[in-house]
Amino acid sequence: MTLHTATTPDGGAELTIRLTSAEVTAIGLTEAEGLAEYLDTALWGLAVLRTGRTVRTEDQREVTAADLHDVIRDLDAHLAPMVGGILDAAIRRHRDLGGSTGQLAAALNAPRSSAQRRREALDSSGPRRAQAAHWERWVATPHEH
């Protein structure tokens, strides 16, 4: 994967994410497009929250609670759980490959005790873990491209 940035004549920017053929095969084009769309919503939400204006409308009016509906929905129901599943799967695989708690703590920029709790949480049970496990399985499930 590579990221290319180009400025536009109006002072904006185009961000282009290029995936290798192996990445497309592993992720699936539809999944990659979905993640990119949710990331787009996250960036738009960040701009809206920083400016207080609807930055993608010509009039750039003051933002309303209704304008934030898509940001909240896409981040809460899609992007956050997907990223959480990727992170949980990476932590689990790190452990399975012999990664130490100290190495995990360094990667998380957290104390060793926090890293240990994070690892132990992967093996816990309950409704929250069941939901997280769903997204961890999503990570491991090949998707068509």
Side-chain angles (χ1 to χ4, degrees):
M1 194 231 36
T2 56
L3 175 66
H4 298 276
T5 305
T7 56
T8 60
D10 66 354
E14 289 185 10
L15 304 176
T16 303
I17 299 171
R18 294 188 185 194
L19 301 175
T20 67
S21 126
E23 289 168 328
V24 171
T25 299
I27 298 168
L29 186 56
T30 302
E31 292 283 350
E33 289 171 335
L35 279 165
E37 189 67 33
Y38 299 135
L39 182 56
D40 173 75
T41 301
L43 292 170
W44 172 70
L46 180 59
V48 165
L49 292 166
R50 285 188 174 174
T51 64
R53 318 247 356 125
T54 58
V55 294
R56 287 192 180 163
T57 60
E58 194 170 308
D59 64 346
Q60 294 198 13
R61 63 177 168 68
E62 200 166 309
V63 70
T64 67
D67 293 321
L68 295 172
H69 175 269
D70 290 343
V71 174
I72 294 166
R73 182 201 59 225
D74 284 359
L75 272 58
D76 183 60
H78 301 288
L79 189 60
M82 289 172 154
V83 170
I86 295 166
L87 179 58
D88 286 350
I91 291 170
R92 185 180 301 278
R93 182 73 56 92
H94 179 266
R95 178 186 67 189
D96 294 348
L97 292 172
S100 71
T101 304
Q103 291 168 327
L104 178 60
L108 293 171
N109 195 28
R112 286 176 61 94
S113 58
S114 296
Q116 182 63 37
R117 279 192 302 278
R118 190 68 185 262
R119 274 185 165 182
E120 290 169 357
L122 295 174
D123 298 323
S124 66
S125 60
R128 291 186 93 169
R129 183 60 206 145
Q131 181 66 12
H134 163 79
W135 289 104
E136 229 186 305
R137 283 189 302 278
W138 167 79
V139 169
T141 304
H143 295 274
E144 292 189 26
H145 56 287

